[in-house]
Structures are given as structure tokens and as C-alpha cells.
């Protein structure tokens, strides 16, 4: 018996069920009529919806686009259903106004959208106990019919193969097109060639026909993948390819060479946090320098344990016993200890350390490895060496702004057009196999230098603005998530322009809040939050355009994303879209412009952020002149935060609404803590700026750590913003700083009283010569 997708409508909506059967009966014979009837189907469905509501006046007199927009405005249609109706209307309109030869691809898109809105109709207006059936692609009536139609209707090899495969599978009711819902195959002859070439492929795995090699390679980047699990004893060729040399590697290699030359016991601490690359670096060095295994023991606190009955600290104490106070002078043990800072801190606070490891504890304490306000310099002693990942940033500071050799090299490795690159090799194989998928489009976008530069910019902003620690593991997972959509069940072949727009790389970056903590932070950097006259003009132009593709092409070189350009070709007038679709294309134009538009990119420059980076650089090289204006801003902010009746006077008591008290405050910048550096490019630096004010004699300095959020608040104060209660809670360190600075004031000798009602001032002054107070009007 022939299966019809729309039979579930028969009891409640028989007219729609009959129209659905007509569409499936002619599906392969007349795709253009399928598109026209699909539009009619949507009109009839919306009439059914309108009949369920009494307040939809004049609904029958509206055009289809107006009906969709009205029902969406009344919140009767969900965002997803409104977008499906957009696609149905567009495909139907195109088929109604021009001849299309064998448009089987759009027929599949139409059919899938009709099924989606039919399920929605039944769930909302049909039977509440309704359980939607699984969607099936339309079935062919017989193989003979298909073969005859192939000669009549189909001119492209792709369409021929798709119909052949559908015919072969129709009797077993297996869904069309291919096994993988995210990919399609184009040529039967090419499939035979692929099978032959598979034998010669240098891949670690063999896939079924229709599956993606690139998707398999990209999956290795996920945090949940086996490749993401670092082990200092294993180093695969995949990790070898992705390895990027950083300055900490040079430091560790030199320390290993120096330690190997001496006979005395040597303990090398390789410290850091979870996922920062300690195990990866050790595995890499062991592979490149196998002699390390003969010269050093290696202990990784995260992966090794000798006895399940012992705690991690017991195990660590046992490993470190050759370096105890009693044995360290006579031992010849050489050990590399890869350890997280939290574990190291717990150990030196433990009874083990207090009883047996006082020399080791003193070395760690003097290294200031747990201090956030100072850079942890690599430290060496007779027996101990400490190298910490903590202050090796994944980017460099320069006088002209930040750059990242690490981020840029890693991204280039993933897209480098070389057969040594497993990702590109897999991508090339998928192209040969005529594999299509959302991830293919996004991988091609990642090949664009402008896209990679934008990604690096966002990653550095996340570190500076939100204090995010981006481990290597988190970075790999991030790359996977911006290339591969979360929902791989969505059929690429049957996806429409809206669906393919939703999963473009720029949209995955800023709409991926739920996928990872890093994407949640980056979503806050979404360029759609920027405001400017130019962006307003662009959006006005888009909202009034009669050709969406033309407007996108005006600001973005669409030749760089040709697959997606084909999808938006023919979308027509912007005002004919549903509100949900309009919002999507508004966001997409701004986001694509952020990455790809030379004409618009200046709009997205954050001057406050750039100025902070400039101060950060000058602070880290100890340039007094470079941060001079920062002291001016900070001093003014102190007065603005508490309020000031006049220059150099700041309020100390604002509890009385009528009369308030102020004191004279004369503070001086303190710069003795700055350390001068001649380095032009910094790869070890602090992410906050430490400034201080002393009294009028530049003594008794009070220090403040300025991070980007606080700097942004200072700029807002300077522009006239007045802090509220939440601001004071968020800036508690600044509030405490001001309280300490206020002690440098002159309130012991004079006070200024301000009558806010009359705007008159009175000064109370202490005369030291006569030891008396005088009170006079200012």
C-alpha cells in the first residue's frame, strides 16, 4: 500500500489531507506543480487556522504574505512556523511566475515544510493526544515510471542519481536521499571510483558511502572526543599536526637540558590549570626527545595514581619523597611534575608538606605562583625549577594592539590547503564525493582570512573583557561548535534559505550561548548590539529593499559564500517576509559585515577597549608617560563617584539631603612599583593595570587593580554617568580603594558644608597656631 505523509490530517482536516496526497502523487512527475500546489496547501491551512479565531477580521481579503504577518503578530504562529510559511510562499511564487525544468530539489524543500506546518496544525488545533509520525520523503510508484521520467525531465546527473536511489529504496520505504541526513551523493559512477580510492586513502578510519570525512575529523575537536583526552604518554599524529610551538616550550626545553647535565636531584614543576596543555606539551617533548624517558620520571597529578586507597595528596607525597627535607641533598632523582595550581596549593598546606617538605614549600612560596597581582617568573634553585602556564598568555601585546601567534597558527593549521592537513584532506575527499553539509559551508568560511581575524579578535576580547581562561581543550571545542551545527539531524538537502542562514558560521558564533561557556561569553560581544548611523542606514536599506540578495551583495562579497548566495537568490522583497525571517536576515547582515565588510568594519571598533589595551601595554613595559592620562582619569573618577562641590573637594557624607559635607583631597600619582621593560612584543604580562595614589607627599600609596570592566565604568563616569546601587556592588574594590584614598584628605584641618537648597557653602577651618576652629561662609 502506498504511504502518504499527510494521512494523519484525514479526520480533522480532510481537504488538506487530499491536497497532500495529490502533491505526493505528482511529486516526481511534475515538481513545478508540486510547488504551486504547496502554496495553495499553505493558504488552505491558514484558512483553517483563522477559522479557529473569531477576532481575525477581513482575513480572507488579505494576501498570503499579509496573512502570515498578521498571524505572527498575533502570536498565533511560532517563529519556526512563520519561517516555514515564508519558504513555502517563496517557492510557490517562483513556480507560478516562471517555467522551471525538473526542480526536484525545491520540491523536496516544499514537501518538508508542508509536513512541518501540518504537524503544527494538528498539535495546536487538532488532537492534543496527537503523536506526529516520522517524516518520510515521497515514494515513487514504480521504478519504470521513474526511468522514463529521467529521460524526459532530468538534465543533471545529480538529479538522475537521486531519483535512481529513491526508486531503489521505495519498496523498502527507506527515506531518501542518502544514509546520512546531513549529506548527499551525486554520481553513481563516482561512487564506484570512491570505493576504489578508499583503499588508498591515508585515513585512520573507513566510512560508509555518503558519510563525511570532514565531519569525522572535526568531531575530534570536541571536548567529549577521545582525542581531547590528553595523556603525557601518548601523542597521536593528529595532535602532532595541531601542535603550535609557544614560548613556554622553549623555556621547558632549556630547563630540561640544564637539569639533565647535573648529578643532583632535580624537580621541575610544570604548573597551570585544567586543560591548558601541560600533558600535551610533555607528550610532544617525549615524542621529539625520547631520551627524556631515560633521564626523567614524569608524574601528572591529573592522570596517575598508584593506589586507589590513597588520596591524591598521599600519592603526591610518595612521588616527591626523594625531594623531602631528609633526602633532597643525597638523592639523584630527576622528576617532571605536571600539576594544577590548586593541587599544588593544597599540597603545601597539607601535613605532608609541613612535616617533610619545608624546603620545597619555601621555594614555592617565594615563587609567588599563587599571587594574581604579579607575574610568576620562571624560578630556579639548586634542586627546584618552576615553570607556570599561568602568565603565558595565548596572545601577545604590542604597541599597536594585541596579536596572537597561537590562535592564528592553530586556525591556519585547520584550513591550510595541504595534504598534510587532515582536515583539508578530509574536506577535499568530501568534495570529490559530492558531499554537502552545513559544516562544509562553514569550513569554507573558516578558510577566509577575514573570518579567522574576526574570530581571533573575539577570543582576545573575551579574555580581556570577561576574564575568560581559554584552555587548548576549550579552544578546540569552540572551533568545532562554530563549524558544526548542534542539530545534525536537520537535512541539509531539504533545508531552505532560512535554515541555511541560521547555521552560518557567524550565526553559530553569536547564537551558541547554550553550547559552551566560551560561546556564552562571546555571545555578549555580538555586533548587533552596536549602534551607529551607518548601521541604522544599512538596516533601513535592507528593510526597504525589493531584492535581499542585492542589498547583501552591496556590503559583502557574496562570491566568497556562493553556496549561500544561491539560497538567498530570489528571496525578493524584505517586507514580504515574516517578522522572524526579517529578524534573522537583519542579524545576519550585521554579523557578516563584522567579519567580511571592509566598508563597515570601522563601525565595530571599540575605542574604550583599544585605549585599555594601550594602557595595559604601557603598564606592562613600565612606561610612566604611557599611563599618565590614566591617572588623570582615575583621579577625576574618585571625585565623580562620591560627587564634588568644586574642584579638589570631594563629598565624605551625603546622608543629609539638605546639607552635605566635603573635604579637600590632594593626592599624587605613585609610580615606584612600575618595572621598566625593553620588550616590544609581550607574551607574558598581567591582564590588569595596577595603579596607586599617595598623599600630597607621594607617601602611603593606596593600590588599585583596574580591569576592563572597571576601566569602562571610569569612562562612563567621565561622560556623565552616575553609579547606582548595583554598580557599587559590582565595583566593590573601587569603593574600598576610594575609602582608603579618602584618608589622605584634609578633613582634620577643614571641612566644607554645602547647603543644597540655597547653594551656599560654609567652611570649618582649624587654626593650628591658636588651636581653634573658625566657621565662615565661602
Amino acid at each position: 500500500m502506498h504511504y502518504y505523509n499527510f494521512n494523519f490530517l484525514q479526520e480533522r482536516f480532510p481537504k488538506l489531507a487530499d491536497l497532500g496526497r495529490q502533491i505526493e502523487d505528482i511529486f516526481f512527475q511534475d515538481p513545478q506543480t508540486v510547488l504551486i500546489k504547496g502554496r495553495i496547501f499553505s493558504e488552505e491551512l491558514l484558512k483553517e487556522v483563522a477559522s479557529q479565531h473569531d477576532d481575525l477580521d477581513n482575513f480572507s481579503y488579505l494576501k498570503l504574505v499579509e496573512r502570515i504577518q498578521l498571524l505572527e503578530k498575533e502570536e498565533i504562529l511560532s517563529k519556526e512556523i512563520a519561517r516555514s510559511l515564508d519558504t513555502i510562499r517563496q517557492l510557490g511564487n517562483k513556480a507560478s511566475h516562471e517555467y522551471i525544468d525538473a526542480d526536484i530539489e525545491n520540491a523536496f524543500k516544499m514537501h518538508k515544510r508542508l509536513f512541518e506546518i501540518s504537524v503544527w496544525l494538528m498539535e495546536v488545533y487538532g488532537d492534543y493526544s496527537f503523536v506526529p509520525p516520522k517524516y518520510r520523503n515521497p515514494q515513487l510508484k514504480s521504478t519504470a515510471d521513474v526511468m522514463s521520467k529521467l529521460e524526459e525531465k532530468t538534465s543533471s546527473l545529480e538529479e538522475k542519481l537521486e531519483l535512481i536511489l529513491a526508486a531503489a529504496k521505495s519498496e523498502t520505504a527507506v527515506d531518501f536521499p542518502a544514509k546520512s541526513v546531513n549529506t548527499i551523493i551525486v554520481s553513481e559512477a563516482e561512487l564506484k571510483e570512491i570505493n576504489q580510492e578508499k583503499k588508498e586513502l591515508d585515513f585512520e578510519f573507513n566510512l560508509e558511502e555518503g558519510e563525511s570525512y570532514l565531519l569525522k575529523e572535526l568531531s575530534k575537536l570536541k571536548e567529549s572526543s577521545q582525542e581531547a583526552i590528553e595523556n603525557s604518554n601518548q601523542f597521536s599524529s593528529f595532535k602532532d599536526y595541531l601542535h603550535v610551538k609557544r614560548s613556554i616550550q622553549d623555556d621547558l626545553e632549556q630547563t630540561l637540558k640544564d637539569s639533565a647535565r647535573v648529578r643532583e636531584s632535580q624537580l621541575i614543576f610544570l604548573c597551570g590549570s585544567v586543560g591548558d596543555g601541560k600533558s600535551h606539551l610533555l607528550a610532544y617533548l617525549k615524542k621529539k626527545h625520547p631520551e627524556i624517558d631515560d633521564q626523567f620520571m614524569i608524574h601528572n597529578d591529573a592522570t596517575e595514581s598508584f593506589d586507589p586507597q590513597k588520596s591524591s595528596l598521599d600519592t603526591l607525597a610518595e612521588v616527591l619523597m626523594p625531594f623531602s627535607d631528609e633526602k633532597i641533598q643525597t638523592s639523584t632523582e630527576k622528576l617532571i611534575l605536571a600539576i594544577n595550581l590548586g593541587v599544588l596549593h593544597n599540597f603545601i598546606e597539607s601535613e605532608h608538606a609541613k612535616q617533610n617538605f619545608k624546603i620545597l614549600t619555601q621555594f614555592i612560596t617565594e615563587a609567588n605562583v599563587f599571587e594574581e597581582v604579579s607575574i610568576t617568573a620562571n624560578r630556579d634553585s639548586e634542586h627546584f625549577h618552576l615553570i607556570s602556564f599561568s602568565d603565558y598568555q595565548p596572545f601577545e601585546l604590542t604597541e599597536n594592539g594585541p596579536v596572537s601567534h597561537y590562535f592564528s597558527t592553530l586556525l591556519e593549521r585547520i584550513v591550510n590547503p595541504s595534504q598534510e592537513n587532515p582536515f583539508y584532506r578530509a574536506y577535499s575527499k568530501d568534495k570529490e564525493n559530492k558531499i554537502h553539509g552545513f559544516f562544509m559551508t562553514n569550513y569554507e568560511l573558516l578558510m577566509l582570512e577575514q573570518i579567522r581575524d574576526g574570530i581571533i579578535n573575539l577570543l582576545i576580547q573575551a579574555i580581556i573583557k570577561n576574564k575568560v581562561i581559554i584552555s587548548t581543550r576549550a579552544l578546540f571545542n569552540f572551533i568545532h561548535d562554530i563549524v558544526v551545527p548542534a542539530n545534525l539531524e536537520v537535512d541539509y538537502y531539504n533545508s531552505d534559505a532560512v535554515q541555511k542562514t541560521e547555521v552560518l558560521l557567524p550565526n553559530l558564533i553569536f547564537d551558541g550561548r547554550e553550547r559552551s561557556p566560551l560561546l556564552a561569553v562571546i555571545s555578549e560581544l555580538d555586533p548587533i548590539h552596536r549602534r551607529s548611523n551607518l548601521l541604522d542606514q544599512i538596516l533601513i536599506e535592507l528593510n526597504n529593499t525589493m531584492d535581499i540578495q542585492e542589498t547583501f551583495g552591496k556590503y559583502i562579497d557574496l562570491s566568497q559564500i556562493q553556496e549561500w548566495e544561491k539560497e538567498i537568490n530570489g528571496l525578493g522583497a524584505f517586507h514580504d517576509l515574516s517578522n522572524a525571517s526579517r529578524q534573522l536576515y537583519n542579524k545576519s547582515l550585521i554579523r557578516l559585515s563584522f567579519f567580511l565588510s571592509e566598508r563597515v568594519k570601522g563601525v565595530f571598533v571599540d575605542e574604550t577597549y583599544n585605549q585599555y589595551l594601550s594602557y595595559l601595554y604601557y603598564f606592562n613595559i613600565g612606561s610612566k608617560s604611557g599611563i599618565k592620562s590614566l591617572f588623570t582619569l582615575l583621579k577625576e573618577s574618585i571625585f565623580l563617584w562620591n560627587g564634588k562641590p568644586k574642584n579638589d573637594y570631594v563629598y565624605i557624607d551625603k546622608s543629609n539631603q539638605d546639607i552635605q559635607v566635603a573635604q579637600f583631597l590632594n593626592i599624587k600619582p605613585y609610580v615606584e612599583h612600575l618595572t621598566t621593560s625593553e620588550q616590544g612584543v609581550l607574551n607574558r604580562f598581567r591582564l590588569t593595570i595596577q595603579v596607586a595614589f599617595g598623599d600630597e607627599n607621594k607617601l602611603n600609596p593606596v593600590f588599585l587593580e583596574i580591569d576592563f570592566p572597571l576601566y569602562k565604568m571610569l569612562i562612563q563616569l567621565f561622560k556623565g554617568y552616575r553609579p547606582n546601587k548595583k554598580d557599587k556592588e559590582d565595583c566593590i574594590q573601587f569603593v574600598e580603594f576610594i575609602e582608603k584614598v579618602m584618608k589622605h584628605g584634609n578633613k582634620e584641618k577643614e571641612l566644607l558644608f554645602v547647603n543644597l537648597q540655597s547653594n551656599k557653602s560654609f567652611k570649618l577651618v582649624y587654626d593650628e597656631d591658636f588651636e581653634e576652629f573658625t566657621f565662615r561662609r565661602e
Side-chain angles (χ1 to χ4, degrees), residues 473-524:
R473 191 180 305 170
L475 179 61
F476 284 162
N477 190 74
F478 165 80
I479 295 170
H480 171 272
D481 287 348
I482 65 174
V483 175
V484 183
N487 186 9
L488 279 175
E489 297 303 314
V490 177
D491 184 355
Y492 177 86
Y493 181 75
N494 286 333
S495 297
D496 55 34
V498 166
Q499 291 172 311
K500 291 180 179 178
T501 301
E502 285 180 310
V503 295
L504 276 180
L505 185 146
N507 288 328
L508 290 183
I509 287 180
F510 297 113
D511 288 335
R513 171 179 291 274
E514 305 300 325
R515 298 190 71 180
S516 73
L518 179 54
L519 280 172
V521 169
I522 288 182
S523 68
E524 298 176 11

Side-chain angles (χ1 to χ4, degrees), residues 515-542:
R515 298 190 71 180
S516 73
L518 179 54
L519 280 172
V521 169
I522 288 182
S523 68
E524 298 176 11
L525 305 174
D526 196 335
I528 65 173
H529 301 313
R530 299 287 293 180
R531 291 290 177 268
S532 75
N533 290 334
L534 178 57
L535 290 182
D536 288 344
Q537 292 171 12
I538 291 173
L539 292 178
I540 290 172
E541 183 176 345
L542 177 62

Side-chain angles (χ1 to χ4, degrees), residues 602-666:
V603 170
F604 304 110
V605 174
D606 186 342
E607 293 295 345
T608 300
Y609 170 71
N610 286 345
Q611 185 60 62
Y612 177 80
L613 288 172
S614 178
Y615 286 138
L616 188 65
Y617 173 77
Y618 288 123
F619 164 72
N620 277 285
I621 64 171
S623 171
K624 298 175 184 178
S625 60
I627 61 172
K628 179 180 177 181
S629 56
L630 178 60
F631 282 100
T632 303
L633 173 65
L634 179 58
K635 183 176 181 179
E636 182 65 17
S637 298
I638 294 170
F639 287 87
L640 292 172
W641 185 273
N642 277 20
K644 61 177 184 178
K646 63 179 184 177
N647 289 340
D648 298 326
Y649 281 82
V650 60
Y651 286 118
I652 59 177
D653 182 10
K654 300 177 68 176
S655 59
N656 191 306
Q657 295 184 353
D658 296 325
I659 297 178
Q660 296 183 0
V661 184
Q663 70 167 339
F664 180 77
L665 183 64
N666 184 22

Side-chain angles (χ1 to χ4, degrees), residues 326-338:
E326 181 181 351
K327 297 182 179 182
I328 192 169
Q329 296 299 333
T330 58
S331 171
T332 58
E333 188 79 28
K334 290 183 172 62
L335 172 67
I336 303 171
L337 178 63

